[in-house]
């Protein structure tokens, strides 16, 4: 009892200390901002003025206006970079590709200015600074107004069509179509470009969130396009009659490309980087909780999963595993032998992930703080004074990740945890978030100084980059110290290009049906912003979901790239068995389905390294001309094969879905559906409505057997591929491609392989859906057909005959 009272007293003292620190910091931040904020913005708006001259350049054109310059550079015939000067040029943190093949372009004078053309794009440059982007056939895709300058602010506008939909801007608690309010009758929302700690909980309409990216996709009846602003400064976006972007600093440097949504993501990720292939275990189930507290609690949780026959691939440790919440530490009292723990987990193919926050406790007792302070690695004010703010360890200093020497220093810190067997890292509070009683919960935006690769800058420019720069350091650490494995990093904050280094999650979403509903458009918008690997805290972060809510959330999450349960420390333990039956059995079956689908998920991940297409896609991805699909944000595609229709309200036992054109099968009973604008699907508690596109070969695995589920179209054709390798590292690989053809009453399945990795399955099973074959042969020999399926060795080509 005496010990419990002492612990409670210590906890109250820590909370009081944090309160005083937050109070002090809030006053200090406001004082610093008053000292170093720029003078008031002038009220005179400046436009480019008249066009004086235009001249052709090797890859585009240079245009001189009375008060501005415009450089237009084609990177490909469909992708163009535009920069209005003057303005501070951006550092190329987001840009993955610098060398582009030659592009032919042609500049000619037109009636109202000049016309610059490539083989795929026409750009009209009008005498007052208007720009028009059109297809080679002359269909206008986008019309931009002359940019405006208001002091350091850059304002950019483009006219929008009445039916035009806008998607993207990174992580948003909004509708998929950013022009559509979440609730009828509300105004069209505006969006802030400033990575923001939502304070423990958010729901629909909260803005901004943790990961803001100034990229959006426009879709209208003449086509679709993508615009990416290479400007990390704080900004405001709105999409009413015009798309308006107002940046508080930097230059107006942006990229434009047109094409189908798939083509847009291909070019955008060619520019900012395609995600590398993650380790295969990352697509398994992850269990997390703020509140495990001890090594014994982690071991007990893992044993409970195993005893209950619940598949699991990773356990995540929150800040309570650290020594007084300090980064790169493990509490020796509560985790006395973590190296043995990681080894035991690894023997069961379970990985241990630990959290890391960027704030370093400002204490003379901290070796890490002393190292950073002596080398001037932390953020300072313009007078060279250290800026400290309260986070979990107490008053803390923040590394300046825009200094390459700091990133290298930070990279070295991961070695200790890697030696302990930690397999991946979870970056939290890296907007960076700071405990403040009021105002912006981050570093002072004008007073905080950054290296910016040696050229200097303040937190206005560095803030949105901060989380990604930390992720770069972690990724480099894993590549350097563990070159035989693929890095696994999760980052709450980031910017354009984060996909090259880290996964993310949707943060502290509210535990409610509204939080569940919001997850679908948030994940879809992230994918359309180039961030494909994401998922929610299953059940929401702070709260106790009802058994029904948790089950429905789980049903959706098993089809998302990142499948993890996580929760706050002041809620009930959230594990599948806490809800009893029938929920435990239903969740067990969902997890088994997730693991059977691993070949499908892993192949999509490999395809993403080639194309940049997100795994989770909006329904309009299949047919961008189908206006019915443009605003659907309560269902999603996984690849092009699965259509997932989650249940997003309490007590619902059926739902409607707007069906993309074509033929579909119901996953659970093979019922064929199609040629219907809307479809009503049954949704008993134990089932999530799920459809499979006709023409799909859906790869699954079970008991070391690869199972190909064939869902032929009415013409009888099917195709699919399966990527395989060791599941980690950078060794040999293989791709198996399957195609089903129909010739009269016969169907032929062909199998072609590429690569040197040995086929990793003992047998191949072909499961037919929608057809019933009467006979099957391999090289003239009969094969038995059992339960509408056949089995064969892994090195043969299959021939089958249908009814």
């Amino acid at each position: 009892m005496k010990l419990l009272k002492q612990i409670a007293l210590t906890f109250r003292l820590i909370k009081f200390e944090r309160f005083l620190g937050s109070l002090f910091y809030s006053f200090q931040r406001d004082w610093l901002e008053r000292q170093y904020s720029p003078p008031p913005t002038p009220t005179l708006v400046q436009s480019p003025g008249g066009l004086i001259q235009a001249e052709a350049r090797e890859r585009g054109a240079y245009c001189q206006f009375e008060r501005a310059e415009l450089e237009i550079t084609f990177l490909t015939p469909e992708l163009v970079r535009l920069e209005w000067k003057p303005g501070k040029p951006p550092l190329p943190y987001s840009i993955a590709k610098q060398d582009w093949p030659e592009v032919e372009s042609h500049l000619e004078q037109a009636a109202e200015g000049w016309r610059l053309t490539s083989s795929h794009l026409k750009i009209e440059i009008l005498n007052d600074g208007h720009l028009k982007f059109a297809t080679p056939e002359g269909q206008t895709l986008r019309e931009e107004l002359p940019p405006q300058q208001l002091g350091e602010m850059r304002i950019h506008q483009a006219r929008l069509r009445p039916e035009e939909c806008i998607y993207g801007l990174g992580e948003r608690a909004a509708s998929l179509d950013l022009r559509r309010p979440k609730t009828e009758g509300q105004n069209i929302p505006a969006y802030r470009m400033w990575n923001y700690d939502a304070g423990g909980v958010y729901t629909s309409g909260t803005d901004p969130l943790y990961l803001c990216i100034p990229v959006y996709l426009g879709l209208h009846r003449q086509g679709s396009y993508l615009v990416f602003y290479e400007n990390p400064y704080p900004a405001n976006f709105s999409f009413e009659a015009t798309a308006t972007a107002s940046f508080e600093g930097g230059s107006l440097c942006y990229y434009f490309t047109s094409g189908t949504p798939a083509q847009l993501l291909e070019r955008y990720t060619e520019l900012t980087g395609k995600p590398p292939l993650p380790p295969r275990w990352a697509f398994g189930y992850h269990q997390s909780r703020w509140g495990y507290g001890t090594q014994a609690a982690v071991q007990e949780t893992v044993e409970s999963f195993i005893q209950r026959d619940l598949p699991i691939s990773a356990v995540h440790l929150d800040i309570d595993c650290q020594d007084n919440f300090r980064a790169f530490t493990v509490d020796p009292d509560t985790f006395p032998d973590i190296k043995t723990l990681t080894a035991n987990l690894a023997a069961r193919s379970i990985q241990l992930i630990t959290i890391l926050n960027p704030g370093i406790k400002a204490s003379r007792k901290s070796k890490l703080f002393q190292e950073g302070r002596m080398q001037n690695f932390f953020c300072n004010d313009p007078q060279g004074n250290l800026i400290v703010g309260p986070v979990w360890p107490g008053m803390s200093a923040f590394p300046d990740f825009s200094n390459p020497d700091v990133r290298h220093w930070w990279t070295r810190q991961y070695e200790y945890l890697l030696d302990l067997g930690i397999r991946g890292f979870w970056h939290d509070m890296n907007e960076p978030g700071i405990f403040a009683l009021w105002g912006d919960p981050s570093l002072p935006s004008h007073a905080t100084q950054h290296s910016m690769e040696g050229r200097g800058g303040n937190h206005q420019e560095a803030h949105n980059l901060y989380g990604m720069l930390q992720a770069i350091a972690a990724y480099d650490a894993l590549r350097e110290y563990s070159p035989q494995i693929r890095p696994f990093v999760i980052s709450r904050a980031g910017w354009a290009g984060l996909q090259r280094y880290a996964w993310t999650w949707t943060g502290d979403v509210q535990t409610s049906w509204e939080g569940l509903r919001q997850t679908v458009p948030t994940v879809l918008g992230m994918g359309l912003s180039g961030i494909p690997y994401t998922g929610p805290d299953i059940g929401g972060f702070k709260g106790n979901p009802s058994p029904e809510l948790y089950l429905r959330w789980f049903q959706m999450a098993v089809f998302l790239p990142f499948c993890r349960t996580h929760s706050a420390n002041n809620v009930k333990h959230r594990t599948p068995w806490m809800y009893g039956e029938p929920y435990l059995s239903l969740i067990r079956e969902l997890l088994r389905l997730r693991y059977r689908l691993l070949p499908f998920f892993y192949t999509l991940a490999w395809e993403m390294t080639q194309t940049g297409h997100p795994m989770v896609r909006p329904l309009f991805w299949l047919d961008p001309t189908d206006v019915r699909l443009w605003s659907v944000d309560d269902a999603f595609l996984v690849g092009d094969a699965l259509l997932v229709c989650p249940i997003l309200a309490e007590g619902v036992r059926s739902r409607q879905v707007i069906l993309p054109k074509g033929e579909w099968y119901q996953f659970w009973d093979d019922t064929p559906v199609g040629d219907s604008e809307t479809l009503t699907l049954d949704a008993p508690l134990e089932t999530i409505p799920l459809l499979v596109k006709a023409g799909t070969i859906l790869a699954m695995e079970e008991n070391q057997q690869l199972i190909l589920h064939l869902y032929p179209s009415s013409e009888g054709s099917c195709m699919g591929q399966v990527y395989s390798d060791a599941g980690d590292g950078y060794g040999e690989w293989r791709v198996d491609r399957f195609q089903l053809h129909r010739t009269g009453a016969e169907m032929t399945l062909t199998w072609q392989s590429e690569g040197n990795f040995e086929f990793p399955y003992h047998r191949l099973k072909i499961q037919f859906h929608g057809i019933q074959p009467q006979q099957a042969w391999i090289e003239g020999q009969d094969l038995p057909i059992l339960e509408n399926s056949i089995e064969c060795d892994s090195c043969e080509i299959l021939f089958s005959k249908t009814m």
Side-chain angles (χ1 to χ4, degrees), residues 200-216:
V201 64
Y202 74 86
T203 187
S204 298
T206 302
D207 190 87
L209 291 180
Y210 315 94
L211 208 165
C212 304
I213 303 176
V215 59
Y216 65 83

Side-chain angles (χ1 to χ4, degrees), residues 533-548:
Y533 291 125
T534 190
D537 292 340
I538 299 176
F541 175 66
K542 187 177 290 186
N544 295 303
S546 67
E548 182 183 2

Side-chain angles (χ1 to χ4, degrees), residues 294-366:
T294 67
Q295 183 170 328
V298 174
Q299 291 172 325
E300 181 183 350
T301 299
V302 171
E303 290 300 328
S304 294
F305 269 87
I306 293 170
Q307 291 170 7
R308 291 173 170 85
D309 195 20
L310 296 166
I312 183 173
S313 293
V315 176
H316 294 231
L317 300 179
D318 211 317
I319 54 175
D320 41 357
C321 77
Q322 298 174 331
D323 187 0
N324 291 314
F325 308 119
R326 292 183 295 120
F328 300 108
T329 68
V330 176
D331 190 327
D333 295 324
T334 56
F335 285 83
D337 192 7
I338 195 168
K339 194 165 187 176
T340 297
L341 173 63
T342 58
N344 290 340
L345 293 180
R348 292 169 155 176
S349 298
I350 301 171
Q351 315 302 323
L352 195 64
I353 314 298
T354 190
I355 199 168
L356 281 172
N357 296 339
I360 301 300
K361 185 175 178 63
S363 168
R364 291 181 180 180
K365 297 180 181 179
S366 169

Side-chain angles (χ1 to χ4, degrees), residues 620-645:
F620 67 75
W621 186 273
L622 292 178
D623 184 3
T625 66
D626 190 343
V627 180
R628 302 174 307 125
L629 306 177
W630 288 1
S631 296
V632 175
D633 60 6
D634 62 352
F636 57 90
L637 300 166
V638 185
D640 288 344
L642 298 181
L643 199 169
V644 183
C645 310

